[in-house]
Structure formats: structure tokens, C-alpha cells
Amino acid sequence: MESGWYVLGKEVEAFEAEYAAFCGTKHCVGLANGLEALEFVLRAWGVGPGDEVIVPSNTYIATWLAVTAVGAKPVPVEPTPAGPNIDPDRIAEAITPRTRAIMPVHLYGEPADMDAIMALADRQGIKVIEDVAQAQGSKVRGRRAGSIGHAGAHSFFPTKNIGAYGDGGAVTTDDPGLAERLRVLRNYGSRVKYVNLERGYNSRLDELQAAFLRVKLPKLDEWNERRRLVAARYDDKLAGIPGLGLPRAPQWAEPVWHLYVVRILDGGGRRADLVKALDKAGIGSLIHYPIPPHLQEAYADLKQGKGSYPLAEELAETVLSLPMGPHVEPDTVDKVAATVRAALS
Ligand SMILES: *Cc1c(COP(=O)(O)O)cnc(C)c1O
């Protein structure tokens, strides 16, 4: 604040360099939020009307909104049977001559199967943009999420694993041309003040948020490690409850546990009862997400009614997120687990 410089200055520049180093990419471009990070990459690649972008059927709606914002068509692909992330085998079936990009989401902090997705995309000459909004710091066989696709879109919304004190976002990439184009797009289509190369936007990470993020970034790995311990304790304390499915990340994945999402396997009624029991014990729980994008009013025009994506619909009806974060104490985990066990037994 004392510098008197609030937009596009030294803090943003320094954060971009530090976050690129953290993710293992050559470039990082700070933007106003995660949705525009996704959207601007598609714009920079020239994706638009008539093009198709493959998205998960099971995701937060922002993933789809980025695709429709540029006028392209979202082509939903169902998750793997174990869930929650997009199934590479089903991606192969969904590719058409119009497919321009694949947008895997690392949902709940668990990385999608990037090796399989990149092999497929490279064979077909299709771009891949990772939605890293819920998975900052996670790894696939030692590589950070956001450094594996052609671009990674990040959100610094306050509740994410690294959050600002307001909105914020970024794109990471090794492609210098993409990074440069994003710098122009975020700043009115201008590289030099009052010289406008194209019709751009105003979408910038601001200096104060970048300064906050620079303080938090060195702690991110440690906070994610604390989340891992919370998850491991849940795994232990919730083991063996009939009808309760626990999250199971693949061997090659290092998840960062943005959320700890269990599944109540035999129907919505039991889930509602469990939510009530948790509420009564003063324990908050949430459903991520209760309505999949294809069943939202916002996408009624796509005419993909109930039954179009049964795996996503089944997840919406069975998932429940338990308290998770670096601040969650072992005692809290034990209390939550005991409440879940009593309610479901
Ligand atoms: C939060 C989120 C976004 C959007 O990020 P904002 O910064 O809120 O715009 C996109 N995708 C997923 C999966 C998210 O969880």
C-alpha cells in the first residue's frame, strides 16, 4: 500500500516468477480469477464457435462456463468408475474432427490421469488445459499439476489450497507465445500504454493480492502435508463402515486434499440423515456438487436431461465433503468419524 502502486507492478511480477518456479513452468501470468484463466487460454488458442472442448461431466460449473464464454461447445465426458476425475478411455471416444482442446479438472485436489490424457492429445494434435483450481501443489509422478498440460489455470479464491483475500487467478505454461498473448488480453489488448493491438479485457491479479500470495506460497507444501495427515486419519477412523465409500487416489497421484469427499453408497435418504446427524453434533458438511452442470438451468439449452451422464448424476446424489483443511485437528477428525459411524451403523 505504501508503494502507491496497485495494479501490475513489482508484487505481481515477483509472484508470477515464484509461482512459475513452484509449479515447474517457464511462465506464469496473473489474472483476476480462475474462470478467466480458463477462458483466456481458450481465447488465446483461438477456440470459438464451431469448436468442441472436452470437459468432465463431474466438475464445478466454472469449467463449462469458460468453454461457453468463448462460444465453443462443451463435450462432457464421464469420470472413471472410481471417480471423481475424467476417464481417459472415454475421452478417446468423444474426440471428433472439431475437438480443439481437452480440459481435465483435478477435482477435490486429486490429479486427473494426465499421462494418459497427454498421450492421447499429442497423438491427435489437441491442446490440453488443466483446471488446477482445486489442486495447487499436487503432483502426477513427481510433476506438479499445472505443468503437465500445455497450460494450467489456477484460482486463488479464498477457500482454495492457496487463497488470496479476494479473487485472483493465474495461468502457468512453458509456451512463451501463450504467456505473451495472455499479458496482452488481460490488459485491454495493450502491450504499450494507449496502444491497443486487439480488443482485450481487464483481468489482472492485483498487487495487494499478489503480495498476500507471496507470503502464503512458501507455506503451501506444509499446509498440503497437514491436509494429507487429516485425510490419512479419516481413512483410518472411517474404515469398515458398511455403505460408506472413502476416497482412493491412484498410486501415481499425490493429491492435496482440497476436499475429503466420501460417498454414501446406498441412496440419498441416508446421506440426508447423516447430514442431519453431523449438523446436530455441530459439524459442517457440504455437497460438492449437488447438481451436475448438464442438469443446471444455465445449460437447459443443451437438452442433456436426467440420465445423460449417469456417473456424474450418481456422484451428485451420493457425495459428501467432511471438514478438511490444514487447521483441522486430530480430535476433530475423531469426533467427525465417530459421528459418521454412529449415524450409518
Ligand atoms: C474455483 C474453481 C474455478 C473458478 O475459480 P474462480 O477463481 O472462482 O473463478 C474453476 N474450476 C474449479 C474446479 C474450481 O473449483
Side-chain angles (χ1 to χ4, degrees), residues 33-35 38 59-60 62-63 105 131 133-134 155 157 160 168 289:
N33 55 66
L35 172 57
L38 290 165
T59 184
Y60 179 56
T63 317
V105 180
D131 182 338
Q134 301 191 0
S155 164
F157 183 76
K160 310 292 186 183
Y289 295 90

Side-chain angles (χ1 to χ4, degrees), residues 76-235:
V77 166
E78 290 266 70
T80 59
N85 288 321
I86 195 164
D87 186 341
D89 294 334
R90 292 172 186 259
I91 293 178
E93 293 159 21
I95 290 174
T96 77
R98 288 171 184 264
T99 308
R100 293 286 313 280
I102 306 170
M103 199 178 261
V105 180
H106 309 305
L107 205 64
Y108 312 149
E110 177 180 322
D113 189 351
M114 287 306 295
D115 288 341
I117 293 168
M118 292 314 292
L120 188 64
D122 287 344
R123 248 192 335 269
Q124 309 256 3
I126 298 168
K127 296 276 198 191
V128 175
I129 169 169
E130 300 172 65
D131 182 338
V132 197
Q134 301 191 0
Q136 299 95 337
S138 69
K139 290 179 184 169
V140 177
R141 294 193 177 86
R143 296 165 75 197
R144 296 269 192 199
S147 72
I148 305 163
H150 301 98
H154 307 250
S155 164
F156 305 119
F157 183 76
T159 59
K160 310 292 186 183
N161 286 41
I162 174 170
Y165 293 89
D167 279 308
V171 170
T172 48
T173 182
D174 282 335
D175 178 351
L178 173 61
E180 178 53 26
R181 183 79 197 289
L182 293 171
R183 289 182 203 286
V184 171
L185 279 175
R186 75 175 170 183
N187 196 32
Y188 304 109
S190 166
R191 207 171 276 143
V192 174
K193 208 169 171 66
Y194 306 133
V195 180
N196 299 84
L197 306 167
E198 60 178 306
R199 297 170 201 168
Y201 303 83
N202 175 353
S203 177
R204 302 169 300 209
L205 178 65
D206 76 63
E207 286 284 287
L208 272 174
Q209 299 306 337
F212 292 134
L213 291 167
R214 290 186 70 200
V215 177
K216 286 183 149 192
L217 183 58
K219 301 180 197 288
L220 179 55
D221 277 333
E222 182 197 322
W223 286 337
N224 283 340
E225 182 54 32
R226 293 206 332 231
R227 288 174 182 267
R228 266 192 280 279
L229 295 177
V230 173
R233 196 172 181 97
Y234 271 130
D235 286 349

